């Protein structure tokens, strides 16, 4: 399963990826807006957005991308490791990985 994390803190990128490995997920992390975000994201199974540390414009662009590519998404207001871990646990239970 592939997960894209939008937002978060740059210093925690490796930790986000490590938590993803714990749940059998390949994780890509984008902490800030890129000009070619839609091409770099690809076609993940799920997109997780940390809305507390990203711009409104990036959230809107990501939601539009999710709608166009039919990708399920999850918006979290807290960018902590525990929040991501519980979100990945819920995702893995719902998709039965």
């Amino acid at each position: 399963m592939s997960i894209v994390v939008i937002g978060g803190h740059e210093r925690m990128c490796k930790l986000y990826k490590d938590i993803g490995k714990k749940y059998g997920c390949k994780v890509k992390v984008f902490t800030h807006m890129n000009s070619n975000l839609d091409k770099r994201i690809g076609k993940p199974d799920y997109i997780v957005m940390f809305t507390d540390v990203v711009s409104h414009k990036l959230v809107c662009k990501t939601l539009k991308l999710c709608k166009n590519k039919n990708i399920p998404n999850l918006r979290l207001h807290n960018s902590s490791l525990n929040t991501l871990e519980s979100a990945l646990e819920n995702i893995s239970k719902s998709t039965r990985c």
Side-chain angles (χ1 to χ4, degrees):
M1 172 182 271
S2 62
I3 305 285
V4 171
V5 175
I6 304 289
H9 301 283
E10 285 187 34
R11 66 181 182 272
M12 295 175 68
C13 286
K14 184 173 179 348
L15 297 173
Y16 294 148
K17 291 178 182 181
D18 291 342
I19 289 175
K21 285 181 187 176
K22 181 178 173 182
Y23 289 94
C25 300
K26 183 179 178 185
V27 177
K28 285 184 185 179
V29 180
F30 298 97
T31 57
H32 56 277
M33 179 91 102
N34 292 323
S35 60
N36 58 352
L37 184 66
D38 53 342
K39 293 178 185 174
R40 294 183 67 195
I41 281 180
K43 183 76 166 98
D45 296 316
Y46 227 89
I47 292 181
V48 176
M49 288 179 279
F50 292 129
T51 59
D52 63 335
V53 291
V54 296
S55 67
H56 182 73
K57 183 177 179 181
L58 179 56
V59 171
C60 291
K61 183 174 182 177
T62 305
L63 288 174
K64 184 177 179 182
L65 181 77
C66 289
K67 185 177 179 183
N68 290 340
K69 292 188 175 186
N70 198 21
I71 303 169
N73 65 72
L74 180 64
R75 287 177 270 183
L76 305 170
H77 185 65
N78 189 348
S79 58
S80 70
L81 295 175
N82 289 333
T83 304
L84 179 62
E85 189 166 5
S86 64
L88 290 178
E89 186 175 327
N90 290 336
I91 290 169
S92 64
K93 284 180 183 177
S94 68
T95 57
R96 299 283 184 217
C97 293

